[in-house]
Amino acid sequence: MSALRTDGNETMTDVGIRLIVGLGNPGAQYALTRHNVGFWLADALAAASGESFRPEPKFYGEICRVSPPGVGDLRLLKPTTYMNRSGQAVAAVARYFEISPSQILVAHDELDLPVGTVRLKHAGGHAGHNGLRDTIAALGTRDFWRLRIGIAHPGDRTLVTGYVLGRPSKEDAVCIHDTLMDVERTLPDLIAAKYQLVMNALHSQR
């Protein structure tokens, strides 16, 4: 994958991920819920680099900078605006650091994937996910990367709200964390814009 279509007339060369956003809700009551698996990834990436998040009011969230050896700087963001206002934080960081949408990866929970699976995707709609919906609105484009982290579906749409705001079983939580370790290993390739290699690695797991 050597180029991205950014609009109907312009093609832009891949430049690699400079910002990874983990979607979730702030507060201890939400920390271990399925809806917060994006936060789980952001925390895992920071911990692996020996770094930590700091609150940054002007970014409406917590931010962390990591510098994997040989691949340059990467910023991690956890919005603290609650899920349905996530875009406010994403847009603020993107503007401040001059990060284009094609350099942003948003990690979020995905009902339509089984637990233990993850998919890298560029652009697309929000499929009812409030965090994605607000990010699309705030950035004014759908052309950012998404990391879809499988949490499975409860089987009945009327159960979805309680399900995503509930905690996974111990077995499912371990499975999700194992999947996030797979993502962590692809970080150098994400920063280097080797997206097909990342897809090959992640989509073949489990």
Side-chain angles (χ1 to χ4, degrees):
M1 186 179 300
S2 61
L4 297 177
R5 180 68 64 180
T6 57
D7 58 34
N9 303 306
E10 180 184 2
T11 299
M12 177 178 173
T13 301
D14 285 340
V15 287
I17 298 301
R18 292 180 56 203
L19 171 64
I20 294 180
V21 182
L23 295 187
N25 287 310
Q29 68 270 40
Y30 297 111
L32 300 179
T33 65
R34 296 177 179 90
H35 219 21
N36 272 42
V37 295
F39 275 17
W40 296 8
L41 175 65
D43 286 334
L45 295 178
S49 295
E51 302 293 344
S52 57
F53 283 88
R54 69 178 190 277
E56 189 60 75
K58 68 183 177 184
F59 296 143
Y60 308 99
E62 297 180 2
I63 195 162
C64 173
R65 185 177 72 175
V66 300
S67 301
V71 294
D73 287 345
L74 172 72
R75 284 177 171 80
L76 309 173
L77 171 67
K78 296 193 296 181
T80 53
T81 51
Y82 290 96
M83 188 67 79
N84 64 353
R85 295 297 304 278
S86 299
Q88 184 179 23
V90 180
V93 173
R95 283 194 302 267
Y96 186 86
F97 293 107
E98 298 182 345
I99 298 172
S100 69
S102 63
Q103 296 172 302
I104 298 172
L105 174 64
V106 177
H108 64 91
D109 56 308
E110 178 57 70
L111 288 163
D112 293 333
L113 290 177
V115 172
T117 60
V118 64
R119 295 290 182 269
L120 179 67
K121 176 185 178 182
H122 177 253
H126 54 71
H129 193 289
N130 289 332
L132 289 179
R133 178 188 284 112
D134 195 63
T135 299
I136 291 169
L139 293 177
T141 180
R142 300 180 177 187
D143 290 335
F144 54 89
W145 290 88
R146 299 97 183 282
L147 190 73
R148 306 165 63 216
I149 302 168
I151 61 169
H153 197 285
D156 187 328
R157 61 185 298 179
T158 65
L159 301 177
V160 165
T161 298
Y163 178 77
V164 298
L165 294 178
R167 297 184 180 189
S169 66
K170 182 177 180 180
E171 180 181 11
D172 282 358
V174 169
C175 194
I176 292 169
H177 281 293
D178 286 346
T179 300
L180 301 185
M181 294 299 292
D182 294 336
V183 176
E184 181 191 322
R185 286 188 281 271
T186 71
L187 198 57
D189 287 336
L190 284 168
I191 296 173
K194 297 178 181 179
Y195 300 117
Q196 193 58 57
L197 286 179
V198 175
M199 291 179 187
N200 292 345
L202 296 180
H203 298 187
S204 63
Q205 296 295 325
R206 283 173 256 287

